Amino acid sequence: MDKKTNKEIGRVALPFLDYEHRNTEILIMIGEKDYWGKGYGKEAFQLLLDYVFIELNLHRVGLKVFSFNEKAIRMYGKLDFQVEGKLRESLYRNGKWHNIYLMGLLKSEYLKGN
C-alpha cells in the first residue's frame, strides 16, 4: 500500500501456514511497475518476516522464485534466504523454459541477522 495515496501496489500472503510443523510459505508480488525498485517489496517482506517469526513463532519460511527474477533473488539473499533446491525447467514463458528456485530461511538465521 502506498501510504501517501492509499493505493494498493501489491500483495503478500502466507498460503501454506502449517502451525503443527511451525513453517509457512511466503508469496509477495508488487504488481504496479511504477513502484518496482523503490524498496516497497523489501519493506513489506521485512514486516511479514517479523510477523511470521516473532508474532507467530514459526521455525521456517520458504518461497519459490523464478530464475529470471534476479532482483528478487538478490533481495532474498540479502535477507539471508538460502537456495535449497530448484525445479528444473518447470516454467514456460515467452518461448523459453525457466527454473524455479526453492529458498528458505530459519528463525535462528533471521534473528541472527536482525
Side-chain angles (χ1 to χ4, degrees):
M1 178 84 59
D2 183 330
K3 294 175 188 175
K4 294 177 186 171
T5 65
N6 284 335
K7 179 180 182 180
E8 184 178 307
I9 61 172
R11 296 192 180 237
V12 295
L14 304 172
F16 304 109
L17 189 54
D18 181 348
Y19 286 110
E20 180 181 358
H21 299 105
R22 294 180 46 216
N23 67 72
T24 191
E25 185 172 321
I26 287 182
L27 298 176
I28 185 167
M29 184 260 323
I30 304 297
E32 295 290 328
K33 291 184 181 184
D34 292 343
Y35 292 87
W36 289 5
K38 296 185 179 178
Y40 291 99
K42 186 174 182 181
E43 179 184 0
F45 216 82
Q46 191 72 53
L47 291 169
L48 192 57
L49 289 174
D50 284 346
Y51 176 71
V52 165
F53 288 127
I54 296 166
E55 298 296 323
L56 296 180
N57 192 31
L58 297 185
H59 174 70
R60 183 186 177 283
V61 170
L63 61 83
K64 295 175 185 164
V65 60
F66 303 139
S67 57
F68 56 80
N69 193 345
E70 295 172 6
K71 286 182 181 181
I73 293 168
R74 277 194 306 276
M75 181 186 76
Y76 301 145
K78 289 178 184 176
L79 293 168
D80 295 325
F81 275 80
Q82 304 293 314
V83 175
E84 299 176 336
K86 71 178 173 180
L87 304 172
R88 299 177 311 135
E89 296 186 2
S90 54
L91 175 72
Y92 189 75
R93 181 176 282 180
N94 298 325
K96 290 176 60 178
W97 287 102
H98 301 277
N99 297 329
I100 296 176
Y101 294 117
L102 308 174
M103 299 181 80
L105 178 65
L106 303 178
K107 181 178 183 178
S108 60
E109 296 165 337
Y110 180 71
L111 294 176
K112 191 184 328 179
N114 289 304

